[in-house]
Amino acid sequence: MRVRWVTGFLDTPSRVAEPFWQAVTGSRLSARRGPGGEFATLVPAGGDAYLRVQVVGDGPARAHLDLHVEDVAAQAGRAVGLGAAVVLDDGELVVLRSPAGLLFCLVPWQGEAVRPAGGRSLVDQMCLDVPVGGFDAEADFWAALTGWPRRAGSLPEFDFLLRPDGMPLRLLLQRVGGTAAGMHLDLACTDRAAEVAWHRELGAEVVGGYERWTTLRDPAGRAYCITDRPL
């Protein structure tokens, strides 16, 4: 599969966190779409959009990926052959579930190609949190699905997929305990302490501090991380 673009979706039972993510990303909210106005795009100051918000009917607040491809039906069939299961096919997009249970969508590519630049920080990574027992199978699935090579991370609990130049989100895979897989967004920044302080002023809550990253929850309770990675 040739993934032409990647979008990170923030799925939330309400709109409570939308002003927070607008501030964090320096973006504006597009006109709302969908029967109930549940969808909107975080439009960057420059480049093509790669972050969207969705009001969902259930909780908790979470995240998912859209992979933009040229032939949705063909690539959905390929994803199923690799071990994914179709959840919904509406004729334009296909919602699937990975072998570990992660929801993602295949959507039509609309010509997106220009990665937005960062300022003091940049949302540039989706972390796939995968229970240890199914980690290798899940990592191999995503590597095969995207065609991005799998590489060992700088710490033993992480692997990552080597994204093509210009792709807005890197995919990191983290070995976690428990039985449920999930996703969360990560930010790179120039000054982690200052960035964390700013996010707290905007309404985020710190839940854990580590040598290279800080874990927070946004106003909707969704976990994300601020990291020391360069922009």
Side-chain angles (χ1 to χ4, degrees):
M1 177 191 297
R2 184 179 181 190
V3 176
R4 302 302 299 262
W5 196 249
V6 179
T7 291
F9 252 96
L10 296 163
D11 304 319
T12 317
S14 73
R15 297 174 180 173
V16 65
E18 291 179 1
F20 172 84
W21 286 102
Q22 285 181 254
V24 165
T25 59
S27 61
R28 62 176 178 84
L29 202 65
S30 73
R32 297 189 184 274
R33 306 180 299 278
E38 60 268 34
F39 298 102
T41 301
L42 294 174
V43 181
D48 291 316
Y50 68 102
L51 295 172
R52 293 186 169 91
V53 295
Q54 177 180 199
V55 177
V56 295
D58 60 351
R62 53 195 184 271
H64 80 263
L65 280 171
D66 278 8
L67 305 181
H68 300 236
V69 297
E70 294 182 55
D71 188 332
V72 170
Q75 299 304 343
R78 183 171 176 273
V80 169
L82 292 170
V86 173
V87 175
L88 173 69
D89 182 347
D90 76 354
E92 181 178 6
L93 64 85
V94 179
V95 183
L96 301 104
R97 194 179 298 276
S98 75
L102 293 172
L103 286 174
F104 66 99
C105 299
L106 296 176
V107 301
W109 179 54
Q110 303 292 342
E112 299 94 340
V114 180
R115 178 188 180 191
R120 58 188 291 168
S121 64
L122 180 68
V123 177
D124 73 336
Q125 184 166 268
M126 183 72 84
C127 183
L128 282 56
D129 303 310
V130 183
V132 173
F135 183 87
D136 283 325
E138 185 74 1
D140 288 342
F141 167 80
W142 285 96
L145 181 69
T146 59
W148 301 357
R150 177 182 171 187
R151 298 286 187 265
S154 58
L155 296 173
E157 62 264 39
F158 296 112
D159 284 6
F160 68 94
L161 302 186
L162 192 62
R163 64 180 170 181
D165 290 343
M167 196 62 63
L169 290 175
R170 187 174 82 149
L171 300 187
L172 180 72
L173 296 107
Q174 178 176 207
R175 296 168 174 86
V176 298
T179 59
M183 296 189 190
H184 72 265
L185 288 171
D186 291 342
L187 290 83
C189 68
T190 56
D191 184 333
R192 177 158 53 110
E195 188 73 12
V196 168
W198 183 49
H199 284 227
R200 292 182 67 189
E201 291 176 7
L202 293 171
E205 175 188 5
V206 174
V207 296
Y210 305 89
E211 182 180 356
R212 303 181 190 178
W213 70 90
T214 302
T215 302
L216 303 94
R217 293 193 184 276
D218 73 8
R222 177 182 15 247
Y224 69 100
C225 295
I226 297 174
T227 78
D228 287 332
R229 288 177 300 104
L231 297 177

